[in-house]
Amino acid sequence: MKVIFLDIDGVLNSEGFLNNNPNQAIDRKGVGILKNIVDKTGAVIVMSSGWRLWFDDNMLPQDGYSQCLYEILCEFNIKLFGKTPDFSTEEIRTRKTFSHVKAKEITAWLNDHEVVEKYVVIDDLDLKNEEINAHLVKINGQVGITEEDARCVIDMIN
């Protein structure tokens, strides 16, 4: 199994997009790029974003933001395979310093799923872990995911 660990903020809703589209939470262009990656790699999507907290264990949305994301992913026929465990604390959630635990969450998910052949992490943060960062395609959070980023992900996972 090939896996893409997906962050949302800075990837599918860049600062530039949100500034120009204040009434939309997700950039459909970015979702289209993600769809191309999934189609070319056959990888499954595991959400490593804080957004995963708004999804239940069956990856069904539990609030308005997650419902919006879920509907757009469905439009593009992208399914969410799962989500990483939550190792965040109240302090991490308040300060939005998720990068301090994301690598541990990804590692824990990988340890529970031994059938993973290859994986890539798509995130706009440095995950402060050499092994995980070796699989990271770091996105410019001002711009969001680009076709160039997609080529890097496809090359890494194929």
Side-chain angles (χ1 to χ4, degrees), residues 37-73:
I37 293 169
V38 170
D39 287 349
K40 289 188 174 174
T41 63
V44 299
I45 303 289
V46 174
M47 195 177 297
S48 57
S49 168
W51 284 60
R52 74 192 184 286
L53 304 176
W54 298 325
F55 284 82
D56 66 16
D57 290 339
N58 296 314
M59 297 312 295
L60 295 173
Q62 299 299 297
D63 78 347
Y65 283 113
S66 61
Q67 182 67 39
C68 170
L69 173 62
Y70 183 80
E71 289 174 4
I72 292 170
L73 292 174

Side-chain angles (χ1 to χ4, degrees), residues 9-21 124 140-144:
D9 294 326
V11 176
L12 297 182
N13 64 356
S14 66
E15 288 183 37
F17 172 78
L18 292 172
N19 289 339
N20 293 321
N21 302 278
D124 63 325
N140 178 340
Q142 300 288 322
V143 177

Side-chain angles (χ1 to χ4, degrees), residues 133-152:
N133 277 347
H135 296 266
L136 173 68
V137 174
K138 191 167 182 284
I139 307 301
N140 178 340
Q142 300 288 322
V143 177
I145 193 167
T146 65
E147 294 290 347
E148 185 178 329
D149 297 325
R151 283 190 292 278
C152 291

Side-chain angles (χ1 to χ4, degrees), residues 30-122:
V31 177
I33 292 170
L34 179 64
K35 172 67 171 161
N36 184 43
I37 293 169
V38 170
D39 287 349
K40 289 188 174 174
T41 63
V44 299
I45 303 289
V46 174
M47 195 177 297
S48 57
S49 168
W51 284 60
R52 74 192 184 286
L53 304 176
W54 298 325
F55 284 82
D56 66 16
D57 290 339
N58 296 314
M59 297 312 295
L60 295 173
Q62 299 299 297
D63 78 347
Y65 283 113
S66 61
Q67 182 67 39
C68 170
L69 173 62
Y70 183 80
E71 289 174 4
I72 292 170
L73 292 174
C74 286
E75 280 177 36
F76 285 83
N77 199 28
I78 298 173
K79 294 179 177 46
L80 297 172
F81 182 81
K83 61 183 178 176
T84 56
D86 178 20
F87 295 165
S88 66
T89 61
E90 188 61 40
E91 180 181 355
I92 287 170
R93 288 188 291 275
T94 301
R95 293 183 178 202
K96 298 187 187 277
T97 54
F98 296 103
S99 64
H100 293 272
V101 292
K102 272 192 180 185
K104 291 176 187 165
E105 294 168 343
I106 290 168
T107 300
W109 193 94
L110 288 167
N111 289 338
D112 286 344
H113 298 82
E114 295 178 5
V115 296
V116 176
E117 308 161 36
K118 291 186 178 182
Y119 71 93
V120 173
V121 179
I122 302 175

